Amino acid sequence: MAWFKRTEKGIQTPTEDKKDTPKGLWYKSPTGKIVDADELAANLWVSPEDGYHVRIGSNEYYKILFDDNKYTELFEKIVSKDILDFVDTKKYTERLKEAQSKTKLKDAVRVAVGKSKGADLVVACMDFAFIGGSMGSVVGEKIARGIDYSIKHKIPFMMISKSGGARMMEAAFSLMQMAKTSAKLAQLAEAKIPYISLCTDPTTGGTTASYAMLGDINIAEPGALIGFAGPRIVKDTTGKDLPEGFQTSEFLLEHGFLDFVTHRKKLKDSVNLYIDLILNQPVR
């Protein structure tokens, strides 16, 4: 066992030279299952052990939905402003800079157009990593412009919601986005262009109260948390105990708030099937 013994004593390794296990090699699901990160990505970020749908962002959804991951991002230069000079524990401007630096995103939604199963599709996708996917003026504006693009080019529109609700740092300006996006979706309906809404974990607050529930087809991922207010608020308001599984996608499907719950592996096929059926065209 000589190879195991140090011949020199007092050897110290500087902290910066120490070899730690790289982060992100493994993922632990809420049920305690351990999954290799590469295996998880290959399985579309769904745990093969228990079917748990890991929270992902716009990059991953675009990879799933667009053919060969080819798409063009729209309106990518729009950024939020601190209209109200808002300050809580820190300035809103600082929060924006931190979020942009950490996530490499401009705001909590991205809009892109590309081919999905050979046909054009506009997809607006929220990113929870950016200030909890909060809905501010930029989110509403980019969604509105995405809908205008769909109307102009006669392309189906898809919204992927993932949000903690309205952005408090923009106060009433954020709440205005509910009416703004709802009005734009009414124009999309008048133009007879399909709108598919996908609710993912979590879809809450003003997002749920507006565009997330206005689809021609409203779908969700398995196990997603979907609701307006949190369970504690609902219980305190109603004074009643909540049913088991309250605010999960499966519960909402059973009670008629959703049309389908779609596994991520079937998402691309399902979305395009719904579009073909709505347009009364041959199924791709």
Side-chain angles (χ1 to χ4, degrees):
M1 297 292 290
W3 59 270
F4 187 71
K5 296 179 180 179
R6 278 185 169 173
T7 56
E8 297 181 40
K9 295 184 178 181
I11 296 177
Q12 293 184 344
T13 305
T15 302
E16 62 271 18
D17 292 336
K18 291 181 179 178
K19 305 297 183 184
D20 293 326
T21 303
K23 293 182 179 179
L25 289 179
W26 304 94
Y27 176 81
K28 184 177 182 180
S29 74
T31 60
K33 304 295 184 182
I34 306 297
V35 186
D36 176 77
D38 291 336
E39 183 183 0
L40 188 68
N43 203 44
L44 303 184
W45 300 276
V46 177
S47 171
E49 298 290 337
D50 53 16
Y52 178 76
H53 283 53
V54 176
R55 187 180 295 166
I56 57 176
S58 54
N59 279 329
E60 291 79 14
Y61 279 111
Y62 289 161
K63 188 177 293 186
I64 292 169
L65 289 165
F66 290 124
D67 297 342
D68 303 318
N69 196 28
K70 294 180 180 178
Y71 58 88
T72 301
E73 186 170 352
L74 306 172
F75 328 118
E76 58 183 318
K77 294 183 180 180
I78 304 176
V79 294
S80 292
K81 300 293 183 182
D82 186 9
I83 307 170
L84 304 174
D85 294 325
F86 187 92
V87 180
D88 47 21
T89 56
K90 63 177 65 175
K91 293 182 179 179
Y92 180 35
T93 51
E94 293 178 12
R95 291 192 184 279
L96 287 170
K97 289 178 182 178
E98 287 177 4
Q100 289 164 355
S101 175
K102 183 179 178 180
T103 64
K104 309 304 179 186
L105 299 167
K106 291 288 195 279
D107 213 282
V109 73
R110 293 171 68 207
V111 182
V113 60
K115 299 286 186 183
S116 185
K117 296 198 76 172
D120 287 329
L121 179 66
V122 175
V123 181
C125 183
M126 303 191 75
D127 280 281
F128 194 80
F130 194 99
I131 313 182
S134 50
M135 177 185 65
S137 299
V138 166
V139 169
E141 179 65 17
K142 291 180 78 170
I143 293 172
R145 291 194 190 190
I147 294 169
D148 285 340
Y149 187 94
S150 285
I151 294 172
K152 180 179 179 180
H153 298 278
K154 295 179 169 39
I155 300 173
F157 182 76
M158 179 180 181
M159 183 74 223
I160 302 176
S161 298
K162 187 186 301 287
S163 173
R167 187 172 300 174
M168 70 171 189
M169 290 80 87
E170 295 187 21
F173 288 100
S174 64
L175 298 178
M176 291 175 186
Q177 308 314 309
M178 297 168 62
K180 179 178 182 176
T181 53
S182 298
K184 281 296 179 182
L185 287 171
Q187 294 177 3
L188 190 72
E190 288 175 5
K192 300 187 185 304
I193 295 173
Y195 168 43
I196 308 295
S197 175
L198 171 65
C199 297
T200 67
D201 183 65
T203 299
T204 59
T207 299
T208 309
S210 55
Y211 50 82
M213 284 295 176
L214 293 176
D216 296 314
I217 299 289
N218 293 320
I219 61 179
E221 291 185 335
L225 171 67
I226 305 168
F228 180 68
R232 181 180 59 81
I233 300 297
V234 175
K235 183 176 180 179
D236 290 347
T237 303
T238 62
K240 297 180 180 180
D241 291 328
L242 304 175
E244 186 177 352
F246 177 68
Q247 293 187 322
T248 62
S249 51
E250 290 78 11
F251 184 92
L252 294 182
L253 175 65
E254 184 179 344
H255 290 78
F257 285 89
L258 295 172
D259 296 296
F260 296 95
V261 173
T262 304
H263 192 284
R264 199 172 283 164
K265 282 187 174 181
K266 299 179 180 178
L267 179 60
K268 185 175 182 178
D269 288 338
S270 297
V271 167
N272 286 287
L273 172 62
Y274 305 150
I275 290 172
D276 290 340
L277 293 175
I278 292 171
L279 294 175
N280 195 26
Q281 64 187 19
V283 175
R284 286 166 285 163

